[in-house]
Amino acid sequence: MSAFIITDLEYRYAAASVPALQGININLAKGQCLGLIGPNGSGKSTLLSILSGLLTPTSGTVFFSQNDNLTLAKYVQKNVALVPQEYAFYPQLSVTQNLEYFVSLCAFSYAESQTRVETVSHQCQLQEVSNQKAKFLSGGYKRRLNLAIALLKDPQILYLDEPTVGVDPISRGSILSLLSALKNQGKTIVYTSHLLTEVQDICDQIVMLKLGKASYLSLDQGQKCLTIEFAHTLSVSWVEQFSGLSIKVECKDNHLKAYIKSSAELFAMMALLSQSQLDILNMHYDQTSLTQYYLNHMENNDITEY
Ligand code: ADP
Ligand code: MG
């Protein structure tokens, strides 16, 4: 089932000579993660504002499938949360005070509110800074607080606008693993970023924006390739072991290429390799192909329509 369907969407800011978005078509399944990538000014934040009901499309439609007979505004208010690009908390208040203030805006009982504050503090690993003033937090904690506030209402759909900008690698890792966990709980996620390598692990669909136009990437273009050169030619029986794994593998003489779509597949490959005890001369795990594709795409004008 779709979480939402965007059809022929166009948006033009008043007085702008060109549309900020045009010809956008996206169908996102419930529980999936959409990566929205593109350089500054390509229209990512504008699209999230439209999906959040903050801007009305100039033309085209946005349809939320599980509307439950609510108006669009009510549906979005109840089920959708946006983690904005800017910090959206009170710098003078502590982490807990911010969470308590923002949970008071949700329609929860006192007991439910307390539980929500505890749950999101735990999810976003904010406990150790709970009494610190928000303005004194590091960049990573500020981002996590921004995210925690959005999670307070336990949204079914979560939008994140560049949530890892200015974040150190450890905080970035914890934000990404939190997003994976949310996805596993069935939440639908839209995630904007400049950084392709960051989104490719958790995204099921990638839309690349350039000057307001979309290009739709197949994730096959983003899969990673494990290339191995062995000391000896591979035996047929050894190669046959791969038929049990759902990994696409190409073998020729002493070379093997495996197209890996997840960490689990990589670990399965590594397990087979370690059992085989074959001598490895060279091994290369290439994560750059999608980034390369993106760079090529941004340099050329090869926008493909849906
Ligand atoms: P991104 O989030 O990808 O950096 P934005 O959605 O913020 O891109 O911007 C898309 C385009 O719309 C840009 O050309 C930007 O200058 C323009 N834009 C954004 N906000 C406004 C606004 N409030 N008024 C006029 N133009 C805007
Ligand atoms: Mg933006």
Side-chain angles (χ1 to χ4, degrees):
M1 180 189 240
S2 299
F4 61 73
I5 301 170
I6 299 174
T7 311
D8 292 336
L9 181 110
E10 178 173 316
Y11 187 81
R12 189 185 288 263
Y13 285 99
S17 56
V18 287
L21 292 169
Q22 62 186 112
I24 310 291
N25 291 284
I26 299 171
N27 184 342
L28 183 63
K30 190 174 174 296
Q32 293 218 319
C33 180
L34 166 71
L36 208 53
I37 57 170
N40 287 333
S42 57
K44 304 182 296 296
S45 297
T46 304
L47 185 52
L48 289 188
S49 295
I50 292 170
L51 285 170
S52 309
L54 301 171
L55 297 175
T56 308
T58 310
S59 64
T61 55
V62 177
F63 169 72
F64 287 91
S65 308
Q66 286 186 307
N67 201 318
D68 298 333
N69 296 326
L70 298 173
T71 62
L72 181 64
K74 283 265 179 248
Y75 177 83
V76 167
Q77 187 187 12
K78 185 162 178 255
N79 298 295
V80 175
L82 169 68
V83 185
Q85 201 169 346
E86 300 79 28
Y87 296 129
F89 47 73
Y90 290 99
Q92 296 290 352
L93 298 184
S94 73
V95 167
T96 303
Q97 286 167 335
N98 266 294
L99 294 175
E100 284 175 347
Y101 170 69
F102 284 103
V103 84
S104 75
L105 305 179
C106 306
F108 290 128
S109 68
Y110 178 75
E112 281 171 330
S113 299
Q114 295 295 104
T115 310
R116 288 307 304 152
V117 168
E118 277 168 32
T119 305
V120 302
S121 300
H122 177 73
Q123 278 179 314
C124 301
Q125 296 171 334
L126 287 166
Q127 297 105 318
E128 63 200 55
V129 293
S130 59
N131 294 321
Q132 274 188 37
K133 273 193 184 187
K135 67 175 176 183
F136 295 132
L137 295 175
S138 67
Y141 276 117
K142 282 181 176 157
R143 286 282 159 206
R144 288 193 232 175
L145 177 57
N146 233 25
L147 175 54
I149 289 167
L151 290 176
L152 281 169
K153 68 172 165 182
D154 198 15
Q156 290 310 306
I157 305 180
L158 183 67
Y159 309 137
L160 299 108
D161 202 352
E162 302 192 24
T164 56
V165 168
V167 169
D168 66 83
I170 292 175
S171 286
R172 179 176 296 208
S174 67
I175 289 173
L176 291 175
S177 52
L178 171 60
L179 295 183
S180 268
L182 290 169
K183 204 179 114 179
N184 289 337
Q185 290 166 21
K187 309 283 186 194
T188 305
I189 297 175
V190 181
Y191 185 102
T192 88
S193 179
H194 302 286
L195 301 171
L196 241 157
T197 46
E198 182 178 291
V199 295
Q200 76 189 40
D201 265 0
I202 57 163
C203 289
D204 305 287
Q205 205 188 123
I206 294 181
V207 172
M208 192 151 54
L209 289 174
K210 180 182 177 184
L211 298 173
K213 290 186 183 175
S215 164
Y216 305 88
L217 277 187
S218 140
L219 273 180
D220 284 352
Q221 286 161 313
Q223 67 198 349
K224 297 168 199 167
C225 187
L226 179 69
T227 311
I228 306 173
E229 184 187 357
F230 294 94
H232 304 285
T233 300
L234 297 168
S235 70
V236 174
S237 62
W238 192 78
V239 171
E240 274 174 354
Q241 294 184 80
F242 292 107
S243 57
L245 300 175
S246 58
I247 303 172
K248 186 178 157 205
V249 176
E250 291 164 7
C251 294
K252 191 163 187 284
D253 305 328
N254 60 332
H255 287 85
L256 177 144
K257 261 182 195 264
Y259 296 93
I260 307 282
K261 294 199 277 310
S262 65
S263 303
E265 287 189 354
L266 180 63
F267 296 144
M269 273 301 298
M270 299 312 256
L272 273 183
L273 285 170
S274 108
Q275 282 161 22
S276 76
Q277 308 217 323
L278 292 170
D279 287 335
I280 293 174
L281 294 180
N282 246 311
M283 188 153 101
H284 186 53
Y285 188 48
D286 183 10
Q287 293 182 289
T288 61
S289 59
L290 190 53
T291 306
Q292 200 55 52
Y293 179 87
Y294 172 81
L295 291 174
N296 292 344
H297 180 84
M298 287 300 157
E299 280 162 14
N300 303 322
N301 284 320
D302 59 343
I303 299 286
T304 51
E305 300 295 342
Y306 211 36

